[in-house]
Amino acid sequence: MVEVSNATYQDRDRAKRVYGEAFRTTFEYVWGSHIPGNIVEFGTFEGFSALLLADLMAEFDAQDDFYTKIFPRELSVYDSFTGFPKSTNPVDSISYEVADSGYWREREDASSPGTEEMLRAEFTRRFGESGWSVVRGMYSESLHSSPLSGQVAIANLDCDLYSSSVEVLDHLLQRKLLPDGAVLLLDDYNCNRANPQFGMRRAMRECFAKTEGFYEASEFFRYGWHGRAFFVHRQGDSPRPKL
């Protein structure tokens, strides 16, 4: 069993309880509601949440071979593995986590050497040689060189910065990759003192507004002091008549 650290909680048992319950609830909903699509993570640090997602995906797939054949899923992880980029965006540059605490400064939270290789080995052990991918690079580069193509049922965003969150959300929303009922897990929703002018709160509001009503979001649940899960609703091409 690989033991890896979590950037949000120093207490590993506490991290397992918070993320374990949040992720399991999400998987129960997605599998129970038959939401098609893959599992994607943006920002993995040491691989703590990525391995939780991988274990749950293997567990839930094993519960229902028939359903798995109808909706086969893949797991993709995107990370630079070198820490944060330099905050040149005007929103990020004056945010609390950059300008005040300095916690999100350039190169902070870089992954330990060998993290990428460890993830590849662990995913291979669980899934074999296919059905997963680890994409290295800043989102501004990796989402262009290795864009997502299939539907996404669960997207775990641990990309912290406003600019990074916008890049990821725009990729998912503008390409219409999220089916009706998909789940967004926003790990840093309450960072920057939960101020709506910064970070994921601002990115969420602005990116959904760009879809001009095609996508809407509603709250699913809250986890820990930091995270919030949202349902994603497609309005523009819903196969169901409006009541």
Side-chain angles (χ1 to χ4, degrees):
M1 179 68 177
V2 175
E3 292 285 355
V4 292
S5 60
N6 172 264
T8 306
Y9 298 96
Q10 292 185 349
D11 185 336
R12 184 177 294 165
D13 289 336
R14 168 70 172 154
K16 288 181 178 178
R17 288 194 299 272
V18 170
Y19 286 98
E21 179 61 26
F23 288 1
R24 181 169 292 278
T25 298
T26 300
F27 272 69
E28 288 171 344
Y29 158 73
V30 166
W31 262 252
S33 298
H34 310 306
I35 309 297
N38 298 322
I39 317 299
V40 186
E41 177 172 84
F42 298 93
T44 194
F45 185 46
E46 301 286 309
F48 174 85
S49 55
L51 293 179
L52 284 179
L53 292 171
D55 285 340
L56 284 167
M57 185 170 162
E59 175 187 336
F60 276 72
D61 275 350
Q63 292 177 6
D64 193 338
D65 290 338
F66 175 74
Y67 177 54
T68 302
K69 291 177 182 177
I70 297 175
F71 294 128
R73 303 186 192 275
E74 296 185 359
L75 174 64
S76 296
V77 171
Y78 286 74
D79 201 292
S80 70
F81 298 102
T82 60
F84 295 112
K86 185 176 182 180
S87 292
T88 57
N89 183 280
V91 174
D92 286 322
S93 63
I94 63 170
S95 67
Y96 290 111
E97 304 295 355
V98 174
D100 189 9
S101 71
Y103 180 61
W104 290 355
R105 60 183 177 270
E106 187 177 11
R107 302 300 180 183
E108 188 69 27
D109 272 358
S111 304
S112 298
T115 296
E116 181 181 0
E117 293 73 17
M118 177 274 292
L119 285 174
R120 293 180 180 278
E122 289 298 314
F123 291 168
T124 299
R125 184 170 67 82
R126 289 164 175 78
F127 307 116
E129 298 294 336
S130 62
W132 58 270
S133 62
V134 177
V135 184
R136 183 185 185 92
M138 296 294 180
Y139 305 132
S140 58
E141 302 169 352
S142 60
L143 287 174
H144 291 284
S145 61
S146 300
L148 292 167
S149 57
Q151 295 185 97
V152 175
I154 301 172
N156 183 42
L157 277 66
D158 190 4
C159 34
D160 306 280
L161 296 167
Y162 163 80
S163 56
S164 299
S165 299
V166 166
E167 289 170 343
V168 170
L169 286 171
D170 275 350
H171 188 83
L172 294 169
L173 297 173
Q174 296 301 318
R175 290 171 175 261
K176 300 180 179 178
L177 297 175
L178 300 171
D180 193 35
V183 176
L184 290 175
L185 295 163
L186 304 186
D187 191 77
D188 311 294
Y189 196 76
N190 289 335
C191 291
N192 282 303
R193 304 183 186 181
N195 189 309
Q197 295 305 311
F198 300 119
M200 283 189 165
R201 285 180 176 248
R202 179 166 181 164
M204 185 76 170
R205 181 177 69 251
E206 293 180 350
C207 290
F208 271 81
K210 292 177 193 175
T211 72
E212 299 180 338
F214 184 90
Y215 277 121
E216 294 180 0
S218 63
E219 185 173 317
F220 186 2
F221 61 83
R222 306 175 186 200
Y223 53 105
W225 64 266
H226 51 93
R228 195 167 297 187
F230 290 90
F231 297 116
V232 177
H233 314 288
R234 289 177 71 127
Q235 304 297 329
D237 65 347
S238 175
R240 308 298 180 191
K242 292 185 177 180
L243 300 178

